[in-house]
């Protein structure tokens, strides 16, 4: 499998929208529209981080959207271009979001994931998330339950996952 090119991860810009929409439509049964992303750019508590090819900054390879509220980070959307999956980018995007949250004094990360989405659940579990409950019929269109997951970003976790990074 080809290595990923050098990547930069930074806040979303409006010119990222076409690349984001391509990934969004290829990634979710119920994709967000452009207006969702534009609204998130305006919300004070919201962050959208985008991974771009460092050599071709217009080439969006993935993104993550989350809110920072009190001492929590709530992760709403993470997706990687289908051609770039299984090469560590999903993990990098999550760690970048969690690092941003730790800098903002957040200590708990929360998210919801489709019960059938084993790829995402494995990614979250490997980073230390644990399931805390199930919401039945959470995803209306497909009548699928959501698994609630939580991560305590305590000192041992930060040492394990973030210590080697300069932050
Ligand atoms: C979930 C998603 C973001 C993962 O991105 P990725 O860049 O492929 O993930 P990574 O390469 O960082 O994978 C990290 C770990 O997650 C797990 N994982 C990721 N994809 C997997 C798959 N298809 N099957 C099984 N495990 C998987 C593995 O444990 C993997 O580690 P490994 O490769 O060392 O075994 C990507 O599959 C995606 O965009 N899916 C569609 C959108 C989506 O479902 N988002 C989550 C909504 S809650």
């Amino acid at each position: 499998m080809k290595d990923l090119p050098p990547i930069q991860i930074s806040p979303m810009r409006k010119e990222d929208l076409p690349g984001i929409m391509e990934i969004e439509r290829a990634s979710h049964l119920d994709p967000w529209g452009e207006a969702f992303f534009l609204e998130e750019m305006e919300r004070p508590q919201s962050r959208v981080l985008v991974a771009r090819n460092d050599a071709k900054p217009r080439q969006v390879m993935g993104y993550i959207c989350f809110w920072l509220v009190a001492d929590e980070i709530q992760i709403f959307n993470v997706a990687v271009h289908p051609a770039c999956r299984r090469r560590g980018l999903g993990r990098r995007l999550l760690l970048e979001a969690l690092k941003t949250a730790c800098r903002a004094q957040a200590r708990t990360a929360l998210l919801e994931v489709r019960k059938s989405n084993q790829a995402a659940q494995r990614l979250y579990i490997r980073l230390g998330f644990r399931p805390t409950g199930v919401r039945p019929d959470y995803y209306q269109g497909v009548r699928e339950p959501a698994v609630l997951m939580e991560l305590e970003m305590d000192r041992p976790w930060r040492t394990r996952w973030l210590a080697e990074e300069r932050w």
Side-chain angles (χ1 to χ4, degrees):
M1 191 183 289
K2 260 183 30 183
D3 282 342
L4 287 178
I7 303 262
Q8 50 149 287
I9 298 178
S10 56
M12 178 188 167
R13 304 184 291 241
K14 282 202 176 133
E15 57 266 34
D16 296 322
L17 208 43
I20 288 178
M21 291 313 299
E22 184 192 334
I23 298 172
E24 181 70 11
R25 290 191 202 102
S27 298
H28 296 296
L29 291 172
D30 192 10
W32 287 6
E34 287 191 4
F36 263 68
F37 286 95
L38 293 171
E39 273 172 33
E40 292 307 316
M41 285 180 81
E42 300 301 323
R43 284 187 215 278
Q45 76 273 32
S46 183
R47 305 282 183 281
V48 186
L49 299 180
V50 175
R52 301 181 198 81
N53 183 336
D54 207 14
K56 300 180 197 163
R58 287 192 171 273
Q59 192 181 330
V60 175
M61 303 172 86
Y63 49 85
I64 186 163
C65 175
F66 55 97
W67 282 10
L68 297 174
V69 181
D71 64 350
E72 288 178 2
I73 170 174
Q74 300 169 11
I75 298 169
F76 295 112
N77 194 349
V78 54
V80 169
H81 192 289
C84 304
R85 289 183 189 163
R86 262 349 250 283
R87 284 181 269 172
L89 186 52
R91 180 169 22 226
R92 275 180 65 181
L93 281 163
L94 270 159
L95 283 173
E96 199 61 39
L98 297 171
K99 200 190 325 176
T100 304
C102 284
R103 282 201 199 105
Q105 312 303 324
R107 288 296 171 256
T108 307
L110 302 168
L111 57 81
E112 280 138 11
V113 54
R114 284 179 197 279
K115 197 165 179 221
S116 64
N117 192 346
Q118 291 298 315
Q121 284 174 55
R122 280 189 200 172
L123 166 64
Y124 302 140
I125 284 168
R126 282 196 64 171
L127 284 173
F129 281 85
R130 59 187 177 85
T132 54
V134 173
R135 279 197 219 279
D137 285 349
Y138 182 73
Y139 298 100
Q140 295 293 326
V142 285
R143 296 184 67 80
E144 186 173 354
V147 178
L148 312 183
M149 300 189 88
E150 190 171 319
L151 167 69
E152 282 310 322
M153 297 183 290
D154 53 15
R155 186 182 286 272
W157 182 88
R158 295 200 304 273
T159 304
R160 174 162 184 213
W161 287 103
L162 305 179
E164 78 282 10
E165 310 253 355
R166 273 173 282 140
W167 59 289

